[in-house]
Amino acid sequence: MQSEVREADASGDGQTAGTADGFDRRMLIDGRLVGAATTFPTLNPATGEVLGHAPDAGVEDAEAAIAAARRAFDTTTWATDTEFRLHCLDQLHRALLDNIEELRELTIAECGAARLLTNGPHVDDAVAIVRYYADLLRDYPMSEELGEMEIRGAKHRRWVEKEAAGVVAAIIAYNYPNQLALAKLSPALAAGCTVVLKGAPDTPLVTLAIGELIANHTDIPPGVVNVLSSSSAEVGPVLTTHSDVDMITFTGSTATGRRIMAAASATVKKVFLELGGKSAMVVLDDADLALPAMFSAFSMTSHAGQGCALTSRLLVPSARHDEMIELLAQGFGNISHGDPAHPHTYMGPLISEQQREKVHGMVQRAVEAGAKLVTGGHKIDPGFFYAPTVLTDVDPDSEIAQEEIFGPVLVVLRHEGDDDAVRIANNSIYGLAGAVYSKDEDRAVAVARRIRAGAFSVNGGRFFGMDTPFGGFKQSGIGREMGIAGLEEFLERKTFATVVP
């Protein structure tokens, strides 16, 4: 693997900020681990106490990171040396595995992720994404022959080559920082892009820890990966409008996604958006209610309901409504919540007091508007916990049934048959995911096909995985993450033709 980029080895001083809490981190810019002029605190959401501090990047830091990424893309062979990229992805995977327990503890502490669930997308599955894209790159065809065509008496050979999209600004949400960061970094690096990754201000340390591993344990060259943390409202606009950024990949709220899409339009950047959801679980009249009731309880309290694809609307046949409510009350009441570090805790806290206030405010307004509180609906102290909550007798057009809550709150809606269920499920600006339950699988699939959403679970089937494309319809986003489609988001296609002698 003789490559000029290997001569420009990523270097860092290998030191963290070294304060008493031991959780402070540094940013990665142009191959070096650096601080910023100021820092900002990050809290442990289970206690509300300060966990550590992160560098508070400003406009100059963002511009330096973009310049480094531009330089690495334009002046090195990173984008064209596939073997070297494979080598670096292998190193990154090994570094993550070697440090996975430290990463797990940090994720539990900063995100409030339950230890019980960190073997999934919070940590273990997230690390496996790097392995998936390294393996995919080994066999992925970067060119495609279209065959010969006769034009005006001459034969023309045509083919398509795929090349890296360029400099990528990757902006992630707080809820699954390892999964979101690695689901963007891994395919972007495999494709040959360079990246400026900005962690969420609520969970900066986890993302910065990945940057430290890259600096200290891989041969990824300076500028290829840059990792920022910031609480400033000025940094995001720099990443989304800068002329040296070719592509934006963003996971977060639909409101922010709209602003990013507008900002990117000035320079016509390529945009991937994975945004909000208000997904519906449809229970048909022949279904065994026990399974969707159990799935709803565990799904809506997983990571305290802070998941964009969770089925936060449960559509139940009117004739079976009371039976389902009884099962839900029992299921939600059995969810263990508390210290996320405890091995038997299932549900941890919300990320912040601000988020808890948002959730509680939506629940209170729903009750005031006539919704019935079945269970939950209150805060749990200390920390930022919220009781698992079920609401019924909800107006399908109301705020609680239309807006993303991002908390452990399930809204139950009645339907009068398959057509009515489809109508209610599609009554949303979102279209990220959904679920259908029926004893007749063909009937369930037929209903799922009529609902405008990017992924569907039928009778409990799991659609989320490293090899399955994930993304939404309507205002849930643009493009697909994960799988082959996730790699191709970071590639451009160039068509060639030559006259055959």
Side-chain angles (χ1 to χ4, degrees):
M1 289 176 290
Q2 297 301 316
S3 171
E4 66 181 78
V5 292
R6 296 188 68 191
E7 298 173 6
D9 190 17
S11 62
D13 58 13
Q15 302 295 314
T16 56
T19 60
D21 55 44
F23 276 116
D24 291 13
R25 301 284 177 178
R26 294 190 182 186
M27 300 185 294
L28 175 60
I29 299 179
D30 203 11
R32 295 189 59 80
L33 295 172
V34 299
T38 59
T39 64
F40 65 98
T42 180
L43 306 183
N44 181 329
T47 65
E49 298 174 352
V50 173
L51 177 68
H53 295 79
D56 203 357
V59 170
E60 291 184 0
D61 298 306
E63 290 176 339
I66 293 169
R70 183 81 265 166
R71 185 166 55 250
F73 187 81
D74 291 343
T75 66
T76 76
T77 59
W78 175 259
T80 57
D81 192 339
T82 302
E83 286 301 315
F84 182 63
R85 297 202 304 275
L86 280 169
H87 164 73
C88 291
L89 285 169
D90 286 341
Q91 286 183 321
L92 176 56
H93 183 241
R94 173 46 56 192
L96 289 163
L97 287 178
D98 289 346
N99 293 273
I100 198 166
E101 294 309 319
E102 179 185 351
L103 196 60
R104 190 185 314 280
E105 296 304 320
L106 181 56
T107 302
I108 293 168
E110 187 175 43
C111 304
R115 182 180 302 279
L116 187 66
L117 302 180
T118 58
N119 61 349
H122 275 297
V123 180
D124 291 13
D125 288 356
V127 170
I129 294 171
V130 183
R131 177 78 274 134
Y132 171 81
Y133 279 106
D135 293 341
L136 178 63
L137 180 59
R138 282 186 170 85
D139 300 317
Y140 182 80
M142 286 293 186
S143 64
E144 176 186 0
E145 289 288 337
L146 300 180
E148 295 180 359
M149 176 178 284
E150 187 170 325
I151 304 173
R152 300 187 187 92
K155 288 186 177 180
H156 298 255
R157 174 196 166 212
R158 293 124 354 105
W159 73 98
V160 174
E161 293 183 2
K162 302 166 190 176
E163 60 183 55
V167 175
V168 175
I171 304 170
I172 64 172
Y174 66 78
N175 54 334
Y176 288 87
N178 292 305
Q179 195 275 336
L180 296 175
L182 295 174
K184 296 181 186 304
L185 270 178
S186 304
L189 297 178
C193 296
T194 58
V195 182
V196 179
L197 171 65
K198 178 183 176 294
D202 286 310
T203 53
L205 302 184
V206 173
T207 310
L208 294 173
I210 294 173
E212 289 185 3
L213 292 178
I214 290 170
N216 292 324
H217 299 286
T218 77
D219 294 328
I220 293 176
V224 169
V225 178
N226 305 272
V227 183
L228 303 177
S229 56
S230 179
S231 66
S232 170
E234 298 178 343
V235 169
V238 173
L239 297 178
T240 56
T241 61
H242 201 288
S243 59
D244 281 340
V245 172
D246 301 301
M247 176 181 172
I248 303 166
T249 174
F250 169 75
T251 297
S253 73
T254 293
T256 303
R258 293 187 192 113
R259 293 195 294 271
I260 287 174
M261 194 171 181
S265 67
T267 49
V268 197
K269 300 186 192 305
K270 189 173 185 179
V271 176
F272 167 83
L273 302 173
E274 198 271 276
L275 307 176
K278 193 68 179 178
S279 302
M281 178 188 293
V282 177
V283 179
L284 302 184
D285 56 17
D286 65 340
D288 178 355
L289 299 188
L291 185 58
M294 178 184 69
F295 188 88
S296 290
F298 282 103
S299 172
M300 286 312 304
T301 58
S302 174
H303 199 31
Q306 298 170 113
C308 54
L310 300 180
T311 45
S312 56
R313 292 183 295 158
L314 179 62
L315 280 55
V316 182
S318 290
R320 307 193 69 187
H321 173 270
D322 292 351
E323 183 184 355
M324 175 60 86
I325 290 298
E326 185 177 337
L327 290 171
L328 290 171
Q330 180 180 353
F332 273 68
N334 288 334
I335 296 298
S336 61
H337 51 275
D339 181 4
H342 193 282
H344 299 303
T345 295
Y346 183 78
M347 192 188 88
L350 292 169
I351 192 62
S352 66
E353 181 60 25
Q354 180 182 11
Q355 180 62 20
R356 186 166 72 160
E357 283 294 333
K358 175 199 169 187
V359 171
H360 189 53
M362 292 182 74
V363 171
Q364 285 185 312
R365 289 192 296 274
V367 173
E368 291 168 0
K372 178 182 177 182
L373 185 63
V374 176
T375 187
H378 59 273
K379 302 177 184 179
I380 302 172
D381 296 319
F384 308 135
F385 293 88
Y386 198 76
T389 300
V390 178
L391 292 166
T392 190
D393 295 337
V394 173
D395 180 350
D397 295 321
S398 66
E399 176 194 42
I400 201 81
Q402 289 290 321
E403 296 300 323
E404 188 172 46
I405 304 171
F406 237 55
V409 180
L410 178 69
V411 173
V412 182
L413 305 171
R414 303 171 193 254
H415 72 80
E416 305 301 333
D418 296 13
D419 291 345
D420 191 42
V422 169
R423 178 188 64 80
I424 295 170
N426 282 329
N427 177 29
S428 173
I429 65 170
Y430 303 109
L432 187 55
V436 182
Y437 284 85
S438 171
K439 289 182 180 178
D440 184 340
E441 182 175 304
D442 290 340
R443 179 186 175 194
V445 171
V447 167
R449 284 177 174 147
R450 295 171 62 191
I451 298 172
R452 299 281 293 166
F456 251 88
S457 169
V458 176
N459 290 331
R462 179 178 176 177
F463 57 75
F464 193 79
M466 290 173 288
D467 59 345
T468 53
F470 179 73
F473 290 10
K474 300 191 280 187
Q475 293 189 42
S476 283
I478 298 172
R480 293 295 181 268
E481 201 159 61
M482 310 293 282
I484 295 173
L487 174 64
E488 292 178 342
E489 288 288 342
F490 296 95
L491 294 170
E492 295 282 11
R493 286 171 168 77
K494 183 181 292 184
T495 302
F496 292 82
T498 185
V499 177
V500 179

